[in-house]
Amino acid sequence: MKLKYTFREVDERLNGRDLPLLSVSKIHGVVLRSELSGDGGRAESIDHYKTCTPGDLVINRMAAYQGAIGVSKLEGAISPDYSVIRGDQVSIQFLFHLLKSSLGIAIVSSLLRGIGSAESGSVRTPRLN
């Protein structure tokens, strides 16, 4: 069975809702942005940011090859460049562990687009499409 039949990418925008800013760390998963950077964010307006809910798999597409993937325990606003994946709880946990494994990281690295090479660490603007 193809993964696209088990999971779906969602793109729900904040549109004026008041939710905390979240970020995805390769070590901590999905956390409050203030826990990582101590600031509120760089954008003047976050209305175009995406939302995620507890149980969503959130992927930082710019750092997925480094393991910046997590299952959210929080409802919040995330960067519009992150991917939000929904599915049933068992499937999401399976996909999370698969993508965090060495095999999963290798697969994600092979799918990177950008200038340079992920293996040599010289990819400029690496991005998982």
Side-chain angles (χ1 to χ4, degrees):
M1 175 183 286
K2 292 188 175 197
L3 292 178
K4 70 180 183 179
Y5 298 120
T6 307
F7 308 103
R8 69 186 188 287
E9 185 171 10
V10 294
D11 187 354
E12 296 171 356
R13 300 299 169 137
L14 195 57
N15 294 324
R17 292 173 53 199
D18 186 25
L19 294 174
L21 277 176
L22 305 177
S23 192
V24 182
S25 158
K26 64 182 179 181
I27 297 170
H28 305 291
V30 181
V31 295
L32 292 168
R33 180 175 167 80
S34 60
E35 291 179 13
L36 294 179
S37 64
D39 67 12
R42 291 175 241 162
E44 287 182 24
S45 170
I46 63 167
D47 278 348
H48 65 285
Y49 274 38
K50 292 181 181 178
T51 61
C52 71
T53 59
D56 288 346
L57 181 71
V58 182
I59 302 171
N60 177 336
R61 296 188 310 177
M62 300 289 279
Y65 71 101
Q66 297 172 323
I69 299 164
V71 177
S72 184
K73 294 179 182 172
L74 306 165
E75 181 175 18
I78 59 169
S79 166
D81 197 43
Y82 289 2
S83 288
V84 178
I85 309 295
R86 287 199 182 136
D88 65 70
Q89 198 58 263
V90 172
S91 300
I92 288 295
Q93 287 298 321
F94 170 78
L95 185 58
F96 168 71
H97 289 290
L98 173 66
L99 292 175
K100 289 292 276 188
S101 71
S102 55
L103 172 64
I105 296 296
I107 292 169
V108 167
S109 294
S110 74
L111 298 173
L112 282 179
R113 298 293 175 259
I115 301 168
S117 164
E119 292 80 27
S120 66
S122 65
V123 173
R124 292 190 339 230
T125 65
R127 189 169 187 277
L128 180 64
N129 292 326

